[in-house]
Amino acid sequence: MPAIQNEIAQLTAELNQHNYRYYVDDSPSIPDAEYDRLLNRLKALETEHPEFCRPDSPTQRVGGEALAKFEQIKHLKPMLSLDNVFDEQEFTAFNQRIVDKTGKDLSYCCEPKLDGLAVSIVYRDGVFERAATRGDGQTGEDITENVRTIKSIPLTLRGDNFPPLVEVRGEVIMPHKAFDALNERARVKGDKLFVNPRNAAAGSLRQLDSKITASRALGFYAYALGVVEPETWELADSHYGQLEQLRSWGVPVSQEVRGCETVAEVMAYYYDIQQRRSSLEFEIDGVVVKVNQIAHQLSLGFVAKAPRWATAFKFPAQEEMTLLEGVDFQVGRTGAVTPVARLKPVFVGGVTVSNATLHNADEIARLGVKVGDTIIIRRAGDVIPQIVAVVAEKRPDDAKDIVFPAHCPVCDSEVERVEGEAVTRCTGGLFCEAQRKEAIKHFASRKALDIDGMGDKVVEQLIDKELVESPADLFRLTASAMTMLERMGMKSATKLVAAIEVAKQTTFARFLYALGIREVGEATAANLAAYFKTLEALKAASAEEFIKVDDVGTIVAAHLAHFLAQPHNLEVIDKLVEAGIHWPAVEEVAEEDLSLKGQTWVLTGTLTQLNRNDAKAKLQALGAKVAGSVSKNTDCLVAGAAAGSKLTKAQELGVKVIDEEALIAILS
Ligand SMILES: NC(=O)c1ccc[n+]([C@@H]2O[C@H](COP(=O)([O-])OP(=O)(O)OC[C@H]3O[C@@H](n4cnc5c(N)ncnc54)[C@H](O)[C@@H]3O)[C@@H](O)[C@H]2O)c1
Ligand SMILES: [Zn+2]
């Protein structure tokens, strides 16, 4: 077989297989852009060598085939496809061909190219009779019961001025919202996800159980009249006018349809809707430009599988295919280790993409992706590029599993993945350069060391200017060094140094909280402080012992044990103590002094004699839980000066209310 003939035969077979996956299984394995490239290659070869064109060539047929599980419906008039243009130049050439054939008086009807599934709906005497898919263009599938469930499709036409038989042609679509919800449900159940809303709409329409279709929230817009009987029935003489007629009968027609007179107007329409594409409720993949005058349409006629009088003016592809060359692991500000795919650069959604997040280990497992795979990448609007699928048939023999590193790529600390959590984290904490900024912000924050004036901006600059590496460095800062920071004069710098000095005096609980151990919040830190009393005792404790502390379960105990097992964490703690951080001894609290155990307290209003955080710590030391809002479970509300809505609520609920004086009495 000559090489060309061979290639034509191969491309034909390959494309037919893709057609089957796309139209019959609703589960394409390659992006449309790749399919279009293959198809264009075949078209070019067939044009050069028409003698080798095969009867089963996808260039000669529309779409897929009608599934045998449905009744077959022969269309009253074939349902065709559309030719494509991809840029202004190609569109101008299309326009020129039309102008050459029709002469002047030309206008266009421009419509969004809805990315769903074509259906034909027949109304007899104004009553919905039957509906069919496009199928192979000649014969479709009887999906009457399923289409009946689509709420926006009228079951009877409005008014009385419609033909006895009218066939409506339009697109069934799945709005983005419904698509996301459907895939989310599938993700939870571990089912296969739909690649895009088009395939999801098609899959939903071709269900044997129309209850399933009904649950999928499909939409519909008509874009043309099909057969009308009697043929003498008076219809508008323009496509636009016929769409208005459809609308007047109660059939939904997109509000985005416009009449355009010139190429410039069509271009303006195209760019305008392209810009709004991501904010539309449903997916569109271009615009459809149709010759508006029906008389012109008739004189232009058809080619093999599409009208000559219309074209699909496609948007640049949002999905492309490329190679996954490797995976890098990045450490985020909170220690999350994120796998980032290194891609062979590919132009998609208007930009060149060379990497994409793989999110986490679960996502890698869901995609089943390996290094060396060919993947489908999607970039829609401003959304960050996503890897949506692996092209299974292109996997090379030497594809490699993606393995998470055991150690942080930034600081070499161990990484951990807690059971039940998707995220893998570096355990380096303060020691890890990637986490330093967040860790030090936390360290200085109000509920931790509470360094007055040490806001997020200051911390960021201190680290960027390399004045601070670990929190212990804060205590070595001088006022003159700090004047290097933006908007930091000598006066404010001196004030900040003084605030840092004041912060050295703290409580054991605050110190523990400030270390930023995972899941050790304020309350847990207070419980740990009350239980262990000294840093030495805490450092010597085992995971089993941590579990004895109130509020500490196995997970938090594991975090604690892990944190204290890292030499660099112990080093940071030692340095902080060396820098002069100190706290008063934690008082011996006898068991009977836990007089508020089991109670929930709330503080509100301004306390004038007590510091609010101290008051809270003391209440906790007596065993109370201090909550942020009043509910019927609140045992006592402390109302300081100018107490507002919480006080009202407590009174409404009959919760006990005391003032600051009474609180002081209790605490002493
Ligand atoms: N990835 C794959 O494996 C694969 C396989 C087969 C086909 N495809 C893709 O499918 C597309 C070809 O499919 P097609 O032949 O159904 O053509 P098409 O979807 O590109 O265009 C024709 C269809 O557009 C729809 N349409 C939407 N809005 C319309 C409007 N306002 N007026 C008229 N029609 C409107 C109609 O359903 C019509 O049937 C290409 O994009 C191709 O890449 C992909
Ligand atoms: Zn690290």
Side-chain angles (χ1 to χ4, degrees):
M1 207 191 275
I4 302 278
Q5 189 179 4
N6 205 2
E7 191 181 347
I8 287 180
Q10 252 173 30
L11 277 168
T12 302
E14 194 180 340
L15 284 160
N16 280 338
Q17 200 174 41
H18 288 306
N19 272 351
Y20 191 86
R21 291 198 183 124
Y22 185 85
Y23 292 110
V24 181
D25 290 343
D26 301 316
S27 179
S29 66
I30 56 169
D32 289 359
E34 175 67 9
Y35 176 89
D36 292 344
R37 277 190 292 269
L38 294 173
L39 186 66
N40 280 339
R41 170 79 186 146
L42 178 63
K43 271 188 198 160
L45 291 176
E46 286 177 351
T47 313
E48 241 174 87
H49 296 276
E51 70 277 19
F52 296 144
C53 177
R54 304 169 61 97
D56 63 341
S57 169
T59 61
Q60 306 302 305
R61 305 185 312 149
V62 170
E65 55 199 81
L67 276 187
K69 66 179 182 183
F70 293 97
E71 293 287 317
Q72 314 278 298
I73 287 186
K74 184 135 179 59
H75 295 302
L76 302 171
K77 173 169 121 182
M79 290 184 79
L80 299 182
S81 180
L82 289 168
D83 266 339
N84 293 321
V85 297
F86 288 90
D87 56 33
E88 182 159 358
Q89 209 184 342
E90 286 180 16
F91 178 72
T92 309
F94 165 85
N95 175 66
Q96 197 53 52
R97 285 195 300 276
I98 305 280
V99 172
D100 290 347
K101 291 214 165 86
T102 61
K104 50 185 187 336
D105 285 343
L106 176 71
S107 68
Y108 290 112
C109 180
C110 292
E111 306 167 20
K113 185 168 186 301
L114 307 160
D115 206 6
L117 188 73
V119 294
S120 142
I121 306 172
V122 172
Y123 288 89
R124 200 177 293 273
D125 298 321
V127 179
F128 176 105
E129 185 181 77
R130 65 170 214 205
T133 62
R134 192 180 67 179
D136 66 1
Q138 306 293 331
T139 308
E141 295 143 331
D142 182 346
I143 49 164
T144 306
E145 292 318 309
N146 294 343
V147 171
R148 212 191 272 283
T149 69
I150 300 173
K151 294 207 176 67
S152 59
I153 296 179
L155 296 179
T156 50
L157 297 180
R158 194 193 295 157
D160 47 20
N161 192 22
F162 42 75
L165 183 132
V166 53
E167 182 200 3
V168 176
R169 290 183 172 182
E171 195 88 344
V172 168
I173 47 157
M174 181 175 284
H176 287 304
K177 241 200 222 152
F179 173 70
D180 293 342
L182 177 66
N183 264 355
E184 192 48 46
R185 285 201 300 274
R187 200 190 302 272
V188 171
K189 287 208 296 200
D191 290 351
K192 194 166 179 293
L193 306 192
F194 281 107
V195 177
N196 53 43
R198 186 213 169 276
N199 296 117
S204 302
L205 258 194
R206 295 152 90 218
Q207 293 285 337
L208 287 176
D209 179 357
S210 53
K211 281 202 218 73
I212 298 179
T213 312
S215 72
R216 299 281 172 88
L218 296 169
F220 172 82
Y221 290 104
Y223 53 67
L225 274 170
V227 170
V228 167
E229 281 173 12
E231 277 175 42
T232 50
W233 188 274
E234 201 167 318
L235 295 169
D237 62 0
S238 71
H239 182 76
Y240 190 89
Q242 295 189 352
L243 291 180
E244 298 222 290
Q245 268 175 314
L246 278 168
R247 206 181 260 145
S248 74
W249 300 334
V251 177
V253 172
S254 168
Q255 295 295 331
E256 301 284 353
V257 175
R258 299 276 181 284
C260 290
E261 304 288 326
T262 61
V263 171
E265 273 179 51
V266 172
M267 290 312 303
Y269 175 85
Y270 173 86
Y271 287 120
D272 170 63
I273 201 160
Q274 184 181 12
Q275 216 194 350
R276 291 185 290 118
R277 178 182 189 181
S278 57
S279 59
L280 297 179
E281 279 169 33
F282 41 79
E283 188 73 27
I284 65 173
D285 63 342
V287 303
V288 183
V289 186
K290 299 174 182 169
V291 169
N292 197 24
Q293 294 90 336
I294 301 294
H296 284 338
Q297 289 187 0
L298 292 174
S299 73
L300 284 160
F302 298 86
V303 287
K305 52 177 228 171
R308 271 203 201 87
W309 44 265
T311 193
F313 193 167
K314 293 275 196 100
F315 293 143
Q318 287 186 330
E319 276 175 15
E320 262 298 355
M321 197 164 99
T322 192
L323 206 64
L324 175 64
E325 292 180 330
V327 174
D328 292 332
F329 290 88
Q330 286 181 355
V331 187
R333 303 188 309 165
T334 57
V337 180
T338 311
V340 179
R342 246 185 9 254
L343 305 173
K344 182 162 174 233
V346 59
F347 192 74
V348 58
V351 298
T352 300
V353 172
S354 49
N355 53 53
T357 175
L358 276 164
H359 299 285
N360 53 47
D362 287 351
E363 177 75 357
I364 291 173
R366 187 183 73 71
L367 289 167
V369 62
K370 295 185 182 206
V371 173
D373 267 338
T374 295
I375 53 93
I376 299 177
I377 178 118
R378 176 177 174 80
R379 183 184 179 275
D382 296 332
V383 180
I384 56 162
Q386 291 288 118
I387 293 177
V388 290
V390 173
V391 183
E393 64 254 36
K394 289 192 186 284
R395 171 166 292 169
D397 292 337
D398 61 350
K400 287 189 189 57
D401 284 338
I402 299 170
V403 185
F404 266 70
H407 291 95
C408 171
V410 174
C411 72
D412 208 36
S413 302
E414 275 176 46
V415 302
E416 65 169 355
R417 183 169 177 205
V418 177
E419 219 176 303
E421 269 184 39
V423 186
T424 305
R425 284 176 203 276
C426 161
T427 56
L430 289 171
F431 180 75
C432 181
E433 207 171 314
Q435 301 175 60
R436 210 163 267 166
K437 279 186 182 168
E438 288 313 294
I440 294 182
K441 282 180 198 170
H442 172 80
F443 182 83
S445 67
R446 210 170 46 80
K447 292 171 183 168
L449 275 251
D450 194 18
I451 304 177
D452 210 14
M454 182 73 69
D456 291 359
K457 292 254 160 57
V458 174
V459 173
E460 273 167 28
Q461 290 186 65
L462 285 171
I463 291 168
D464 290 343
K465 296 204 182 336
E466 293 176 6
L467 290 171
V468 166
E469 246 182 35
S470 101
D473 298 337
L474 292 172
F475 301 95
R476 279 202 298 272
L477 286 169
T478 62
S480 58
M482 270 200 287
T483 54
M484 278 171 67
L485 308 188
E486 271 166 42
R487 260 174 276 145
M488 181 72 77
M490 197 56 190
K491 206 171 144 197
S492 8
T494 311
K495 221 170 121 187
L496 189 49
V497 170
I500 294 172
E501 191 58 33
V502 169
K504 281 185 184 172
Q505 151 86 43
T506 183
T507 65
F508 186 27
R510 278 174 178 269
F511 178 76
L512 289 178
Y513 174 68
L515 292 176
I517 304 164
R518 288 203 57 221
E519 294 191 32
V520 174
E522 260 182 298
T524 309
N527 292 341
L528 288 166
Y531 184 92
F532 289 104
K533 299 192 180 68
T534 67
L535 186 56
E536 286 62 41
L538 179 108
K539 281 203 284 194
S542 63
E544 291 73 52
E545 211 170 344
F546 286 126
I547 295 177
K548 294 185 193 151
V549 180
D550 254 6
D551 264 0
V552 175
T554 47
I555 291 177
V556 180
H559 285 319
L560 279 160
H562 199 281
F563 183 89
L564 292 169
Q566 310 299 313
H568 52 75
N569 287 334
L570 298 175
E571 197 181 308
V572 169
I573 292 175
D574 288 345
K575 275 197 189 155
L576 286 169
V577 175
E578 267 167 44
I581 295 196
H582 60 282
W583 51 85
V586 179
E587 286 156 46
E588 290 290 330
V589 185
E591 199 58 40
E592 59 268 29
D593 281 354
L594 285 174
S595 48
L596 304 181
K597 197 170 165 71
Q599 295 194 10
T600 302
W601 284 53
V602 177
L603 298 167
T604 190
T606 315
L607 301 182
T608 51
Q609 302 171 57
L610 291 169
N611 168 309
R612 186 193 267 250
N613 283 326
D614 288 348
K616 188 170 169 184
K618 283 183 179 156
L619 284 169
Q620 285 168 341
L622 289 174
K625 184 175 160 223
V626 181
S629 60
V630 175
S631 74
K632 63 179 191 323
N633 297 324
T634 309
D635 293 288
C636 184
L637 176 78
V638 180
S645 61
K646 284 183 195 163
L647 177 57
T648 323
K649 182 147 187 215
Q651 285 162 344
E652 276 169 18
L653 293 172
V655 169
K656 179 175 157 197
V657 178
I658 64 170
D659 63 8
E660 187 174 359
E661 291 299 330
L663 176 65
I664 292 170
I666 290 170
L667 295 180
S668 63

